[in-house]
């Protein structure tokens, strides 16, 4: 889709001209003001469509309700613009122009809404989904359009990779993609080097699969960085559960268990185009968790990179084992902050559903800052507790800890497990995106499938430093 900036969108020859309406106010379009029914009040989400009968260059005019102008925010614009785009798709429109009349800075959320709603994963379908080809905007800041487009493209890459079958998004494929980013220095460690680095908890998870593990370290380094951040994405390219195998229904969408890794890849591809003054390390411990004669077993004792020992209580609690070694590696880079993002626990999905991601960390100010950025970007985060009781439930008789606790408080227990592998001098936050990374039905601006969870929040956070 191409976005074009013009002087006056009212004069554009297009399929649909979209105008906004606030409650209690007229639109900037005379036809809408004259012919809209009384019940079209401008309430957020209301849509009125009419044929222009050649009184305007566009074929249709779509009036979009945005509610009370005094309550305007990014989320209202983005979500409702997405509704308008979906209606334009129903009309089989190819070209859409926006004529928004408001003092609110609508540009970035509008572009984000357009791009998110115009996304379809139909690579393997013979009949492709209809897409908008051109968007026309006026009264916008070109740089804001550019930034929103870059973030949208990062989300698209992330969504595509998580929607792909596991046969495509293998550890080797993720490594290949990471090595192709312009402006990013990428190192890929093979199994021998991974073992030499002491990441044997990660290797234990990988050893049951014929797909070789790939430890991926991407670096974006500006000339004078203000801060150094590491972002770790869980890279389970397929999770069968291992020898503690999942039920068939629970395994169906486990291609998405690398959504954290997909998020990191999207972010790293975007950074050289955004030019933030922040050094960013993107880290992925990519592998598969499969049952075989070589799989790791319940009762095995593993030694993580920092020397701590882990009794394997359940082979389906594998993501935290890969993240443990990745966290140790990241902290050794002497960064200021570390964020890990992972489809980690079903417990978080039970607690928060698909409406919000869980977040935990070792510094409340850092966590709250991310939550605020997420609210601006359009992603909800809910801080979960990190209390010693959750850690005590993972005590082991034969090792420093088990990799699971009781059946209760699983998301917080996982967070307490990960904390064991973060050094005290590094600010750390953990995102549990188990419920938000992949939707089983359309929700707000998103269609069914992968969402690119975390991409826009983390990019906005980096840009704002």
């Amino acid at each position: 889709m191409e976005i074009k900036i013009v002087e006056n969108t009212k004069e554009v020859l297009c399929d649909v001209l979209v105008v906004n309406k606030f409650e209690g106010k007229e639109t900037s379009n005379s036809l809408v003001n004259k012919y809209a029914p009384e019940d079209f009040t401008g309430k957020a989400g209301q849509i009125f469509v009419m044929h222009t009968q050649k009184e305007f260059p566009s074929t249709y005019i779509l009036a979009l309700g945005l509610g009370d102008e005094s309550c305007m925010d990014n989320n209202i614009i983005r979500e409702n613009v997405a509704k308008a785009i979906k209606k334009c798709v129903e009309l089989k429109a190819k070209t859409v122009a926006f004529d928004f009349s408001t003092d609110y800075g609508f540009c970035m959320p509008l572009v984000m809404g357009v791009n998110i709603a115009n996304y379809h994963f139909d690579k393997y379908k013979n009949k492709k989904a209809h897409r908008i080809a051109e968007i026309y905007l006026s009264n916008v800041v070109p740089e804001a359009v550019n930034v929103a487009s870059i973030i949208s493209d990062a989300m698209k890459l992330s969504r595509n990779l998580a929607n792909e079958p596991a046969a495509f998004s293998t550890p080797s494929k993720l490594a290949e993609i990471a090595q192709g980013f312009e402006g990013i220095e990428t190192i890929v460690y093979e199994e021998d080097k991974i073992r030499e680095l002491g990441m044997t908890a990660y290797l234990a998870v990988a050893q049951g699969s014929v797909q070789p593990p790939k430890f991926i370290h991407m670096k974006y380094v500006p000339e004078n960085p203000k801060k150094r951040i590491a972002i770790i994405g869980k890279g389970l390219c397929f999770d069968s559960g291992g020898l503690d195998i999942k039920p068939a229904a629970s395994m169906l969408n486990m291609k998405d268990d690398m959504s954290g890794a997909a998020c990191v890849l999207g972010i790293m591809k975007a950074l050289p185009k955004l030019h933030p003054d922040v050094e960013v390390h993107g880290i992925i411990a990519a592998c598969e968790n499969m049952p075989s004669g070589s799989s790791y077993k319940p009762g095995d004792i593993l030694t993580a990179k920092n020397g701590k020992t882990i009794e394997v209580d359940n082979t389906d609690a594998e993501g935290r084992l890969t993240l443990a070694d990745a966290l140790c590696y990241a902290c050794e880079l002497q960064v200021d902050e570390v964020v890990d993002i992972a489809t980690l626990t079903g417990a978080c999905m039970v607690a928060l559903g698909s409406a919000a991601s869980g977040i935990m960390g070792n510094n409340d100010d850092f966590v709250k800052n991310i939550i605020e950025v997420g609210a601006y970007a359009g992603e909800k985060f809910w801080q979960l507790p990190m209390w010693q009781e959750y850690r005590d439930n993972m005590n082991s008789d034969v090792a420093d800890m088990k990799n699971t606790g009781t059946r209760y408080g699983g998301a917080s227990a996982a967070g307490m497990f990960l904390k064991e592998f973060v050094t005290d001098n590094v600010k750390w936050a953990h995102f549990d995106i188990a419920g938000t990374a992949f939707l089983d039905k359309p929700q707000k601006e998103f269609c069914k499938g992968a969402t690119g969870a975390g991409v826009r929040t983390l990019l906005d956070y980096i840009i704002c430093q």
Side-chain angles (χ1 to χ4, degrees):
M1 182 182 66
E2 187 177 2
I3 297 178
K4 299 180 178 180
I5 300 174
V6 297
E7 189 172 338
N8 187 352
T9 49
K10 293 184 183 74
E11 298 176 357
V12 173
L13 183 64
C14 61
D15 296 319
V16 181
L17 175 66
V18 181
V19 299
N20 65 298
K21 178 173 172 59
F22 294 113
E23 285 186 282
K25 296 185 178 182
E26 290 191 335
T27 74
S28 61
N29 189 277
S30 58
L31 290 181
V32 173
N33 296 334
K34 183 176 181 180
Y35 293 110
E38 288 185 5
D39 60 356
F40 180 66
T41 60
K43 183 179 178 181
Q46 280 189 316
I47 288 176
F48 168 67
V49 179
M50 66 173 292
H51 201 286
T52 64
Q53 300 297 326
K54 298 185 179 180
E55 291 191 38
F56 274 81
S58 60
T59 304
Y60 294 98
I61 289 177
L62 185 154
L64 175 65
L66 293 178
D68 185 345
E69 187 172 13
S70 65
C71 300
M72 194 55 41
D73 66 21
N74 285 0
N75 295 330
I76 290 171
I77 293 173
R78 187 189 61 257
E79 291 170 15
N80 288 294
V81 163
K83 287 183 180 180
I85 287 296
K86 290 174 184 179
K87 185 63 179 180
C88 291
V89 169
E90 289 179 18
L91 295 170
K92 301 298 181 185
K94 281 288 189 181
T95 54
V96 178
F98 282 85
D99 177 28
F100 270 26
S101 177
T102 172
D103 293 331
Y104 186 87
F106 62 84
C107 177
M108 286 193 66
L110 187 154
V111 173
M112 293 294 293
V114 166
N115 279 292
I116 292 171
N118 200 40
Y119 173 87
H120 307 279
F121 186 74
D122 54 6
K123 175 180 173 180
Y124 298 100
K125 287 190 173 185
N126 286 312
K127 185 178 180 181
K128 305 300 183 184
H130 180 83
R131 288 175 172 84
I132 310 297
E134 293 178 341
I135 296 292
Y136 292 88
L137 303 175
S138 60
N139 300 316
V140 294
V141 179
E143 180 57 26
V145 173
N146 184 52
V147 170
S149 297
I150 292 168
I151 295 173
S152 298
D153 286 344
M155 290 180 66
K156 181 179 178 181
L157 173 62
S158 177
R159 296 172 78 181
N160 281 343
L161 288 173
N163 277 324
E164 286 278 5
F168 177 89
S169 294
T170 62
S172 297
K173 187 64 176 179
L174 298 190
E176 177 189 329
I177 291 169
Q179 289 172 309
F181 292 158
E182 187 176 344
I184 297 294
E185 179 187 342
T186 300
I187 303 169
V188 178
Y189 295 129
E190 306 292 342
E191 184 173 349
D192 288 347
K193 182 63 176 179
I194 297 169
R195 194 173 303 281
E196 183 184 321
L197 290 169
M199 293 189 276
T200 53
Y202 159 41
L203 286 179
V205 177
Q207 70 191 35
S209 174
V210 296
Q211 293 287 345
K214 304 286 182 179
F215 189 87
I216 304 164
H217 180 185
M218 297 164 278
K219 290 191 285 186
Y220 165 77
V221 184
E223 190 172 339
N224 295 301
K226 298 177 180 176
K227 184 182 285 189
R228 305 178 77 217
I229 301 174
I231 303 175
I232 303 167
K234 178 183 172 184
L236 265 293
C237 295
F238 190 78
D239 178 22
S240 69
L243 292 180
D244 288 313
I245 198 163
K246 296 176 183 286
S250 300
M251 208 186 301
L252 188 60
N253 282 330
M254 281 299 101
K255 63 181 184 179
D256 86 319
D257 214 19
M258 42 65 70
S259 293
C263 169
V264 171
L265 288 167
I267 289 168
M268 298 308 294
K269 184 179 180 182
L271 288 176
K273 301 172 186 175
L274 294 169
H275 310 294
D277 293 327
V278 178
E279 182 176 316
V280 182
H281 297 258
I283 296 168
I284 300 167
C287 65
E288 290 183 340
N289 183 26
M290 299 292 284
S292 73
S294 61
S295 296
Y296 78 127
K297 307 168 183 68
D300 283 354
I301 297 176
L302 313 175
T303 303
K305 195 178 191 310
N306 64 352
K308 292 186 179 181
T309 56
I310 307 159
E311 179 188 1
V312 178
D313 189 53
N314 191 311
T315 63
D316 195 24
E318 83 301 328
R320 65 197 69 185
L321 298 175
T322 67
L323 291 171
D325 281 336
L327 284 164
C328 294
Y329 179 93
C331 290
E332 290 175 2
L333 299 175
Q334 297 183 329
V335 294
D336 303 299
E337 298 168 354
V338 174
V339 175
D340 74 78
I341 179 165
T343 47
L344 203 60
T345 66
C348 191
M349 189 185 303
V350 169
L352 302 177
S354 60
S357 301
I359 187 170
M360 290 162 264
N362 62 2
N363 183 289
D364 275 348
D365 289 339
F366 181 41
V367 169
K368 288 174 182 175
N369 192 359
I370 292 174
I371 292 172
E372 289 175 4
V373 173
Y376 171 84
E379 295 189 287
K380 294 185 177 72
F381 292 87
W382 189 262
Q383 187 172 6
L384 295 170
M386 297 189 71
W387 295 327
Q388 185 61 34
E389 288 88 344
Y390 298 116
R391 172 61 184 86
D392 292 342
N393 287 332
M394 292 182 288
N395 288 337
S396 167
D397 294 332
V398 293
D400 294 328
M401 70 199 87
K402 297 178 183 179
N403 70 329
T404 62
T406 68
R407 61 180 295 193
Y408 304 111
S412 289
M416 290 298 289
F417 179 90
L418 295 178
K419 187 180 178 184
E420 295 282 336
F421 305 94
V422 180
T423 54
D424 293 336
N425 63 319
V426 176
K427 294 179 183 179
W428 161 71
H430 159 60
F431 295 7
D432 193 330
I433 58 170
T436 55
F438 201 92
L439 302 175
D440 59 8
K441 60 183 179 181
Q443 181 174 302
K444 292 188 176 179
E445 64 264 51
F446 288 96
C447 60
K448 179 180 178 180
T451 64
V455 171
R456 47 189 160 154
T457 294
L458 288 172
L459 280 175
D460 277 359
Y461 178 77
I462 292 166
I463 291 168
C464 292
Q465 298 306 299

